[in-house]
Amino acid sequence: MKRLKRAGVVLLVMLMIFSMAGCKKKTEAPKEETKKEKTEEPKKTEPVETKEPEEAPANQNLLTGLGDLTDGAIGKRPVAVMVNNVQDALPQYGIGKADIIYEIPVEGDVTRLMAVYGDYTTVPKICAIRSCRYYFPAFSETYDAFYVNWGIDDSIADYLEALNLDQYDGINNAGGLFGRDQDRLNKGYSLEHTGYFDGTRFAEVVQSEGRRTDLADDKKGTAFNFNGVNEQLKPEGSDCKTVSIDFGAASATLTYDEASKTYLKQINGNPQMDESTQTQLAFTNVFVLETDISVRDDIGHKQLNWNGGNNYTGYYVSNGAVQKIHWYKDANNERSDLHLVDMNGNEIKVNRGKSYIAVNYPGQSQFQ
């Protein structure tokens, strides 16, 4: 009986061992080959649109930032022309094509214009040409420009010679480019209001004389720090639809035209027109630069601080708004750039287009 029991125990133990072995084999059995996991393709994302820096056009006019230079004028010097601006000389002609116009007081607080043309090959016929005052070349040299005038204030002859200007003067009919407008003489204009400069022949004369036409290496940059090619931005300041400037014996008013985004100019309360095109002077940018102006002799010639200073007040007006700025040129360096900076001393950005620059007594301008 005991043997039977012992045999039964042995049999039971053996069954348990086989059972455990079977379980072990089952757990260690090779896993079934699982299907390859389906990997998801990366989601397609839309390409991020990055704006490439806008490249200036190859024929960029350095005075306006616009691509309107003829091929023959790329990299060439501009032309600055002195223009009579008294009431009896109006209307002038040829000034509507200027890229920058300066207006500055002269004797008796009437004003004179300096019209600057970026393309020396397309300068128009201009009338009435007037004489030089020393502070106008101090600004024309900013652009490495040829300088055109009819007569000078004799007291500044040595100064002009020291500047070594490339100058064309109607007094000696330099280049044969000057004459009297017979139609104006017939209409009764005084002789001093009839002098013209035939800019249509200027490139031909300059080239035949072998004068330097290429811009100096340090003058190949733009006149201003321009906004992007397709940008038209408001200056950082208050709204301004009208600029009123009192020079003393003359006034200028510039009124914003929403349609063209330009300021239309008036002189002494009347539209200032270009007689040859019958169009009113219009500017994308208006600058008023305040400076020290006094009388320096019995004739009434002005003493004018043309280099300003980093705390001299100015105003930049464009696109319906005005920004207060500071302005300066390097002291005693006529060829230095015209610096226009904000209240923190950072160079401002300017819209592309034509510019009007008034240099005037402090506190004689209103912005509304």
Side-chain angles (χ1 to χ4, degrees):
M1 187 75 178
K2 285 182 180 177
R3 284 181 181 175
L4 285 172
K5 285 182 179 177
R6 190 176 295 150
V9 170
V10 171
L11 180 62
L12 181 61
V13 170
M14 290 180 67
L15 286 171
M16 289 176 66
I17 290 171
F18 283 125
S19 175
M20 289 174 66
C23 290
K24 190 172 181 182
K25 283 179 184 176
K26 189 174 182 180
T27 57
E28 291 181 354
K31 293 180 181 178
E32 289 185 15
E33 189 174 344
T34 57
K35 293 180 181 178
K36 290 182 180 179
E37 290 182 9
K38 189 176 182 180
T39 56
E40 292 186 6
E41 294 182 7
K43 291 181 180 179
K44 290 183 180 179
T45 55
E46 294 296 324
V48 178
E49 189 176 343
T50 55
K51 276 193 174 182
E52 294 291 327
E54 293 176 305
E55 290 188 11
N59 64 337
Q60 177 179 223
N61 185 328
L62 299 182
L63 303 185
T64 63
L66 303 175
D68 59 7
L69 292 183
T70 59
D71 290 344
I74 297 172
K76 304 299 184 181
R77 300 170 67 187
V79 185
V81 183
M82 294 304 305
V83 181
N84 201 342
N85 199 45
V86 298
Q87 193 67 39
D88 289 346
L90 302 180
Q92 305 102 330
Y93 58 75
I95 60 172
K97 194 166 182 177
D99 297 308
I100 298 176
I101 288 184
Y102 280 81
E103 184 168 10
I104 309 177
V106 291
E107 305 86 84
D109 285 332
V110 295
T111 61
R112 196 153 295 174
L113 305 182
M114 182 174 74
V116 191
Y117 302 80
D119 190 329
Y120 89 115
T121 71
T122 62
V123 179
K125 192 173 183 179
I126 306 162
C127 184
I129 306 302
R130 206 65 172 115
S131 59
C132 168
R133 297 295 178 266
Y134 76 92
Y135 35 90
F136 286 101
F139 287 110
S140 75
E141 285 288 88
T142 304
Y143 313 107
D144 193 25
F146 293 102
Y147 188 77
V148 177
N149 62 287
W150 193 312
I152 64 169
D153 161 15
D154 291 336
S155 68
I156 64 169
D158 291 341
Y159 171 76
L160 295 180
E161 187 174 352
L163 285 181
N164 195 28
L165 290 177
D166 264 328
Q167 185 178 9
Y168 286 82
D169 193 334
I171 284 288
N172 52 27
N173 195 15
L177 295 168
F178 299 84
R180 295 289 179 187
D181 187 311
Q182 189 59 51
D183 186 52
R184 288 198 164 209
L185 289 169
N186 295 342
K187 290 178 179 177
Y189 280 81
S190 297
L191 190 67
E192 66 268 26
H193 306 321
T194 63
Y196 70 77
F197 167 70
D198 189 359
T200 65
R201 295 183 50 246
F202 183 69
E204 166 200 335
V205 170
V206 166
Q207 291 165 6
S208 68
E209 292 179 347
R211 300 222 192 182
R212 175 176 65 88
T213 58
D214 289 341
L215 282 163
D217 288 341
D218 62 338
K219 292 300 176 184
K220 292 182 178 179
T222 55
F224 307 101
N225 182 21
F226 288 116
N227 287 317
V229 173
N230 297 312
E231 289 181 326
Q232 183 81 354
L233 305 179
K234 280 192 172 187
E236 297 179 1
S238 56
D239 288 347
C240 179
K241 305 299 184 185
T242 304
V243 182
S244 303
I245 308 168
D246 178 9
F247 292 99
S251 67
T253 304
L254 296 109
T255 305
Y256 188 56
D257 176 60
E258 197 78 47
S260 64
K261 294 189 180 300
T262 61
Y263 286 80
L264 303 178
K265 187 176 188 296
Q266 293 184 323
I267 178 172
N268 303 329
N270 299 306
Q272 186 151 17
M273 307 294 290
D274 184 315
E275 186 181 31
S276 59
T277 60
Q278 290 299 305
T279 55
Q280 189 172 359
L281 299 190
F283 304 92
T284 299
N285 304 307
V286 174
F287 299 93
V288 178
L289 310 181
E290 297 184 345
T291 193
D292 310 310
I293 304 175
S294 59
V295 175
R296 66 178 174 86
D297 60 25
D298 294 339
I299 299 173
H301 293 131
K302 301 293 186 184
Q303 183 74 29
L304 185 143
N305 177 5
W306 51 261
N307 55 252
N310 56 15
N311 61 347
Y312 274 61
T313 299
Y315 298 90
Y316 169 48
V317 183
S318 188
N319 204 16
V322 57
Q323 178 180 3
K324 190 174 182 179
I325 61 173
H326 292 310
W327 74 278
Y328 65 93
K329 283 168 59 75
D330 297 343
N332 303 315
N333 182 3
E334 289 84 352
R335 289 185 60 80
S336 69
D337 292 339
L338 176 61
H339 300 283
L340 305 166
V341 299
D342 62 22
M343 295 296 103
N344 297 316
N346 302 312
E347 188 176 5
I348 65 169
K349 300 198 79 174
V350 170
N351 289 321
R352 294 170 186 262
K354 295 186 177 187
S355 294
Y356 166 84
I357 303 176
V359 183
N360 195 31
Y361 299 95
Q364 293 192 189
S365 301
Q366 294 182 345
F367 306 88
Q368 298 171 326

